[in-house]
Amino acid sequence: VQLQASGGGMVQAGDSLRLSCATSGITFSRYNMGWFRQAPGKEREFVAGILWSGGLYYSEPVKGRSTISRDSAKNTVYLQMNSLKPEDTAVYYCALDRTQYGILRKQGTAYGYWGQGTLVTVSS
């Protein structure tokens, strides 16, 4: 199983970015996928999740500014982030739920595989 995250970069406040996470080695359509982030000096936090069934969940800090989606033909999950703020600066990780056909879980321990992280830096 491999997860390859990409799409991070340095942007200014108000800009947009789309993060991608390409997966391999799994039957993608059976699994929930999540995005997490970890800012310097802070704990990792849940950002958004998409269920195998298509259900969507967002953390309060990004709700209304972000959209998570998945493309089963490409085995890829995306996180579109708009109106970026300096407080969005973090390393963003995609993650694969340990369980097939599971419910949405926001704890990092529920996820068994992680991408390598992609850095998003937002300047004011």
Side-chain angles (χ1 to χ4, degrees), residues 16-119:
S16 298
L17 278 177
R18 188 177 80 157
L19 307 183
S20 300
C21 178
T23 70
S24 61
I26 58 168
T27 304
F28 180 72
S29 60
R30 298 178 181 177
Y31 291 89
N32 302 336
M33 296 292 298
W35 284 98
F36 292 75
R37 68 185 181 186
Q38 187 166 19
K42 295 187 177 181
E43 294 188 352
R44 182 178 62 194
E45 65 175 351
F46 173 83
V47 175
I50 183 166
L51 297 183
W52 59 273
S53 58
L56 307 177
Y57 295 87
Y58 300 95
S59 66
E60 285 300 322
V62 305
K63 189 178 294 184
R65 301 187 293 120
S66 299
T67 303
I68 187 171
S69 61
R70 63 194 297 161
D71 184 337
S72 292
K74 296 182 178 180
N75 293 341
T76 299
V77 62
Y78 304 96
L79 182 67
Q80 175 71 42
M81 300 189 295
N82 302 321
S83 302
L84 283 161
K85 304 176 181 180
E87 51 264 44
D88 294 318
T89 295
V91 177
Y92 285 72
Y93 299 91
C94 57
L96 173 72
D97 198 314
R98 295 178 184 273
T99 305
Q100 298 183 49
Y101 303 121
I103 61 174
L104 188 279
R105 294 178 292 180
K106 300 179 181 180
Q107 307 93 324
T109 52
Y111 295 79
Y113 293 93
W114 295 79
Q116 82 283 10
T118 185
L119 177 62

